[in-house]
Amino acid sequence: MADASVQQAGGPGSGGSAVRLLGSTTELAAAADAGESGAIWRLEPADRHLDANVIALPPGDAIADHVGPDEDVLLHVLAGSGVLRSGSTEVGLTEGAIVWLPRRSRRAIEAGPDGLRYFSVHRRKGGLQIGATHPN
């Protein structure tokens, strides 16, 4: 996939960064390998406020029940099918579905018979920072 750069117009707040075409979800969905598992694509630029990735789950594979991050998460199903469980709620995941997961919500995801690929987007989590603490 091409990583074409287009210079930004340079308006307020542009910071001199470039707008970039990063890839194609259509191509990522079409290139499905039934055996692939985990993050198969990640948003790479270091200077960003957003995290995004494409997750692949083989048929019948699952992400165990857990409490999500302290960030809202948006999922867009690219290919396959599955089920998202949150407490007593079940949401069918089919191609094209867009699902909002509120921050700290409980969730488990199970891929269907054709596997599951989804695009996940959330605010970037701050990294650990080492430094001196200041007394109050």
Side-chain angles (χ1 to χ4, degrees):
M1 280 178 262
D3 184 1
S5 292
V6 178
Q7 288 303 322
Q8 209 169 18
S14 70
S17 55
V19 174
R20 285 177 276 185
L21 174 62
L22 299 174
S24 165
T25 56
T26 302
E27 289 177 19
L28 285 166
D33 175 354
E36 278 187 300
S37 182
I40 61 170
W41 179 90
R42 286 185 171 88
L43 185 60
E44 296 292 339
D47 185 23
R48 66 184 194 276
H49 292 266
L50 196 64
D51 265 342
N53 53 50
V54 174
I55 302 294
L57 294 175
D61 202 2
I63 296 174
D65 184 60
H66 65 284
V67 174
D70 199 23
E71 309 292 343
D72 292 344
V73 177
L74 192 64
L75 304 181
H76 178 210
V77 177
L78 305 176
S81 64
V83 176
L84 181 138
R85 291 181 182 86
S86 181
S88 62
T89 302
E90 281 195 8
V91 175
L93 300 174
T94 57
E95 189 174 326
I98 298 173
V99 181
W100 173 56
L101 302 170
R103 68 188 190 104
R104 312 269 318 138
S105 61
R106 180 161 290 287
R107 77 259 333 235
I109 299 174
E110 184 177 343
D114 295 323
L116 178 65
R117 281 184 184 231
Y118 62 87
F119 182 61
S120 171
V121 180
H122 57 83
R123 186 174 63 176
R124 187 173 187 193
K125 299 172 201 140
L128 295 176
Q129 295 181 0
I130 299 173
T133 57
H134 298 283
N136 292 335

